[in-house]
Amino acid sequence: MREDLLLSESEGIKKARMPSRAIPYLKALVHLLCLLPALHLLQMYRNGALAAQADPVNFITHFTGKWTLWILLTDLAITPVRRLTPMLAWLIRFRRMVGLYAFFYATLHLLTYIFLFSGYDVQTALAGLHAGHFAEPWRQLVAIWPTMLDDLEKRRFIQVGLVTWIILLTLAVTSPQRVLRAMGGKNWQRLHYLIYAAGFLALVHYWWSLKKGVPLPTKETLIFWILILARVVYWIIQRLRRRSALASQSAAAA
Amino acid sequence: MLIRTEKAIPSSEITAKDNYQSFRAGRRAFLARAGMLGVGAAAAAMFPSAANALNKLQTVSGKFNVSDTVTPESKAQSYNNYYEFGIDKSEPAHTAGSLRTRPWTVKVEGLVKKPQTIDIDALMHYRPLEQRVYRFRCVEAWSMVIPWDGYSLSELINFVEPLPSAKYIVFNSLADSSQMPNLNGSGFEGAYQEGLRMDEAMHPLTLLTFGSYGETLANQQGAPVRVIVPWKYGYKSPKAIVKIRFVDKQPSTTWNDLNPPAYGFYSNVNPNLDGDHSSRSHDRRLDSSSSIFPKIVATQMFNGYGDQVASLYNGMDLSKYY
């Protein structure tokens, strides 16, 4: 399994059966697909649809949170889907990119929490800036800081959310090829297994953020466990194959 | 503003005794009085022409108005926590059309002298509808300012004459999956249930509400009749009421059953107590602002109605009776 994963990110790229000419176009397409939700939000902002929402903050919070999770699940789906057939081996080239977009939406989600959800008064901060009080945005942040610390201290869904973001941050920071080389493939791979933890914790964050009585995100949870199960099944199959190969070798030797 | 709450208004002051026999009789009395006072126009509102469309209501302006910027009707009617019609707050506006608000009756039962089933139109026209601009604070840290149309619940309570043993009042919302598409997905066990202590229910601020913005309530707002208790979190203001029961013990209530530490029986708005999902010290005021940035306001004790209602809780430890 490890060998397979390593193949994905570095030397293995040559083996991916994809006409190299198509790659830049596909990359552009994947970028576009991943950016679509953000562009949609921007469009809603520009045409006033966002402000026309009864509670724009609530909308943005859920929008960025859900897209983080969905993109994270898409990212986790790449490996199992690719294993279905060698024809899809080239998919692996987009795994890191999709993972970075998960971090991008998670960051938007975190910023939404800090500047829109926690009680930070953006309107006063902006009015202050306009009036030439350049410390006003900072003052607002200082004012809301205790509330955020309080949230972090008392609310486990906030704690889990922050841990998830820190994991994604770590993976994003270590994602460049240079860092991979510096760390060594094995260490890098070990660290990047944390993507599973991020997926799991993102789900936990979602579950715990819901009021009791609200239906839980069962579809997303189911998809997550199916993706994990696919890896376990693959791992077992590989082991069995290796064992039977060994068995037949030793049988031949005998 | 001084509101006396210790002593209930005697029912005799509200309707002449011989009119007590039935609710219809009470309505006649009001009609007669409305005529006498020369507000005959009010009579036009007595007989709504259509049941479900939002009908203009004839209202008199009430005494209890806050001066905060009023939330636009479009926002108040497109952002509703009404799980029986969908979990997402934008859903009920699309799905609540299936609710049939006529015919509709409200059953009054329990520890009361005159248990009865009251037709919604009779109930609506029993008293002149007052328009009152109230703050409405949801436990989810957002708030609105809404002009509700109704009359004090105390008027109805006095009419049905609770027994001295009645200490609490219980409301049940409609629970009909043929009209409420998400009833089974609501997470509620049976019908939505809320309750008030009798003195809270008798408080003049507690409004038996039939309309908002001068029109009958939209289905997603709790049509045809709900209760609004402005100093408590929104879930204490039940919608689509079909049953009112007078009891002697503190009743179980829907959200308290679901999550006791987060949602107490009293659920008075209290910025000093912490919520389970967010601090309750501030809220996002959803009003006429067309900015995507929230208007942050400091949440007030009893939602700003402390002068009127704080005395109801004299001597009570509010962190214990939350």
Side-chain angles (χ1 to χ4, degrees):
Chain A
M1 185 168 166
R2 182 159 302 160
E3 182 198 347
D4 177 76
L5 281 162
L6 279 180
L7 169 120
S8 55
E9 294 289 351
S10 45
E11 324 90 67
I13 281 169
K14 268 180 246 138
K15 295 187 190 166
R17 293 173 201 177
M18 186 70 210
S20 52
R21 266 176 303 156
I23 293 290
Y25 296 104
L26 269 173
K27 271 208 162 149
L29 182 70
V30 174
H31 273 299
L32 189 69
L33 284 176
C34 289
L35 277 170
L36 272 182
L39 291 173
H40 177 68
L41 199 60
L42 193 66
Q43 174 68 10
M44 283 186 76
Y45 170 69
R46 293 179 61 130
N47 68 16
L50 197 54
Q53 292 276 326
D55 191 354
V57 173
N58 184 61
F59 180 86
I60 300 169
T61 308
H62 287 126
F63 186 90
T64 52
K66 282 179 181 169
W67 277 105
T68 304
L69 182 60
W70 293 334
I71 291 180
L72 203 47
L73 289 176
T74 307
D75 193 41
L76 290 177
I78 289 178
T79 296
V81 168
R82 166 184 83 92
R83 281 173 181 157
L84 293 174
T85 158
M87 299 288 287
L88 291 172
W90 51 271
L91 271 177
I92 206 70
R93 309 184 64 145
F94 302 103
R95 199 172 56 175
R96 205 167 355 177
M97 196 164 123
V98 174
L100 283 169
Y101 273 107
F103 169 66
F104 169 69
Y105 284 98
T107 305
L108 288 183
H109 189 58
L110 177 66
L111 291 174
T112 306
Y113 165 76
I114 296 173
F115 291 105
L116 296 177
F117 195 87
S118 69
Y120 184 91
D121 195 339
V122 189
Q123 299 209 8
T124 304
L126 289 180
L129 276 185
H130 275 287
H133 306 304
F134 297 107
E136 190 57 33
W138 176 251
R139 220 183 57 75
Q140 288 301 324
L141 194 64
V142 171
I144 205 64
W145 192 247
T147 309
M148 287 197 279
L149 284 183
D150 201 49
D151 265 355
L152 196 54
E153 202 178 306
K154 287 185 189 149
R155 295 176 230 288
R156 51 185 196 162
F157 83 99
I158 298 272
Q159 297 159 358
V160 169
L162 186 64
V163 169
T164 311
W165 181 80
I166 290 170
I167 291 176
L168 290 173
L169 170 73
T170 311
L171 302 191
V173 166
T174 56
S175 78
Q177 203 67 27
R178 275 177 298 142
V179 182
L180 185 152
R181 275 194 221 106
M183 285 180 71
K186 219 172 195 174
N187 285 332
W188 190 89
Q189 194 61 61
R190 262 188 215 136
L191 179 69
H192 281 247
Y193 279 141
L194 280 175
I195 194 75
Y196 301 110
F200 177 73
L201 293 176
L203 273 175
V204 172
H205 168 71
Y206 194 176
W207 277 61
W208 284 353
S209 73
L210 296 171
K211 289 202 292 191
K212 277 193 190 159
V214 174
L216 298 161
T218 39
K219 262 181 249 160
E220 286 85 351
T221 310
L222 194 67
I223 290 171
F224 175 79
W225 287 116
I226 288 172
L227 294 175
I228 295 294
L229 189 69
R231 286 168 165 83
V232 173
V233 168
Y234 181 80
W235 180 76
I236 291 172
I237 291 173
Q238 293 291 92
R239 258 187 92 115
L240 288 178
R241 269 196 200 148
R242 213 173 299 155
R243 196 171 292 171
S244 65
L246 278 173
S248 58
Q249 265 177 23
S250 53
Chain B
M1 156 180 8
L2 179 81
I3 296 166
R4 295 197 346 198
T5 55
E6 307 78 25
K7 193 168 139 282
I9 312 157
S11 15
S12 55
E13 266 180 45
I14 292 166
T15 315
K17 245 192 189 116
D18 51 351
N19 280 334
Y20 273 0
Q21 311 316 334
S22 77
F23 221 82
R24 290 277 169 193
R27 182 179 162 191
R28 267 202 308 277
F30 167 58
L31 275 170
R33 203 176 45 175
M36 263 162 30
L37 294 172
V39 284
M46 299 282 146
F47 309 102
S49 50
N52 289 311
L54 298 185
N55 291 307
K56 282 259 173 286
L57 293 173
Q58 201 72 42
T59 59
V60 296
S61 116
K63 298 164 286 201
F64 308 102
N65 296 324
V66 296
S67 52
D68 308 27
T69 307
V70 170
T71 300
E73 190 174 0
S74 61
K75 287 188 186 177
Q77 294 180 354
S78 63
Y79 199 64
N80 310 93
N81 268 322
Y82 204 163
Y83 285 12
E84 294 91 325
F85 287 102
I87 302 297
D88 193 286
K89 282 179 272 295
S90 64
E91 268 180 279
H94 302 293
T95 56
S98 51
L99 179 71
R100 296 185 300 275
T101 56
R102 295 292 186 288
W104 190 282
T105 56
V106 177
K107 196 174 179 197
V108 181
E109 59 178 35
L111 304 171
V112 52
K113 265 190 210 156
K114 293 189 291 183
Q116 58 193 293
T117 299
I118 307 170
D119 178 74
I120 185 66
D121 289 308
L123 187 63
M124 184 150 113
H125 299 126
Y126 174 54
R127 287 283 159 224
L129 301 180
E130 265 179 57
Q131 181 153 91
R132 299 184 182 177
V133 182
Y134 281 167
R135 289 181 208 96
F136 182 90
R137 209 288 191 179
C138 179
V139 77
E140 297 166 342
W142 53 267
S143 63
M144 293 185 179
V145 178
I146 299 178
W148 300 107
D149 306 302
Y151 54 80
S152 291
L153 177 66
S154 60
E155 308 249 11
L156 171 64
I157 296 176
N158 287 328
F159 178 77
V160 296
E161 293 183 66
L163 301 172
S165 53
K167 299 282 182 269
Y168 293 88
I169 184 168
V170 187
F171 309 97
N172 279 121
S173 300
L174 180 74
D176 177 357
S177 55
S178 74
Q179 299 183 59
M180 300 172 137
N182 196 47
L183 183 68
N184 298 322
S186 67
F188 303 153
E189 298 256 343
Y192 192 87
Q193 179 159 305
E194 257 310 335
L196 297 169
R197 215 170 56 189
M198 197 55 76
D199 58 345
E200 298 176 321
M202 285 300 294
H203 194 283
L205 277 174
T206 304
L207 192 68
L208 191 63
T209 307
F210 303 89
S212 68
Y213 299 90
E215 293 171 333
T216 49
L217 286 171
N219 285 357
Q220 64 269 27
Q221 284 180 298
V225 59
R226 70 179 299 180
V227 164
I228 291 291
V229 194
W231 71 94
K232 292 173 181 282
Y233 294 114
Y235 55 86
K236 289 296 291 186
S237 293
K239 306 183 184 82
I241 294 171
V242 291
K243 196 160 78 176
I244 298 176
R245 204 156 22 106
F246 292 81
V247 298
D248 56 354
K249 290 196 182 65
Q250 183 177 306
S252 69
T253 56
T254 295
W255 279 100
N256 183 235
D257 284 350
L258 283 167
N259 192 352
Y263 313 110
F265 173 78
Y266 287 95
S267 287
N268 294 318
V269 174
N270 187 342
N272 309 314
L273 292 182
D274 215 22
D276 58 339
H277 285 91
S278 57
S279 150
R280 290 174 181 170
S281 62
H282 58 267
D283 55 80
R284 298 191 296 281
R285 175 61 55 81
L286 311 178
D287 60 12
S288 57
S289 157
S290 57
S291 165
I292 69 155
F293 300 126
K295 178 170 167 183
I296 306 287
V297 298
T299 300
Q300 301 174 69
M301 189 65 207
F302 297 115
N303 206 18
Y305 296 97
D307 286 352
Q308 291 99 316
V309 302
S311 60
L312 294 176
Y313 310 100
N314 274 345
M316 283 173 73
D317 178 357
L318 293 180
S319 60
K320 192 171 164 214
Y321 299 99
Y322 57 92

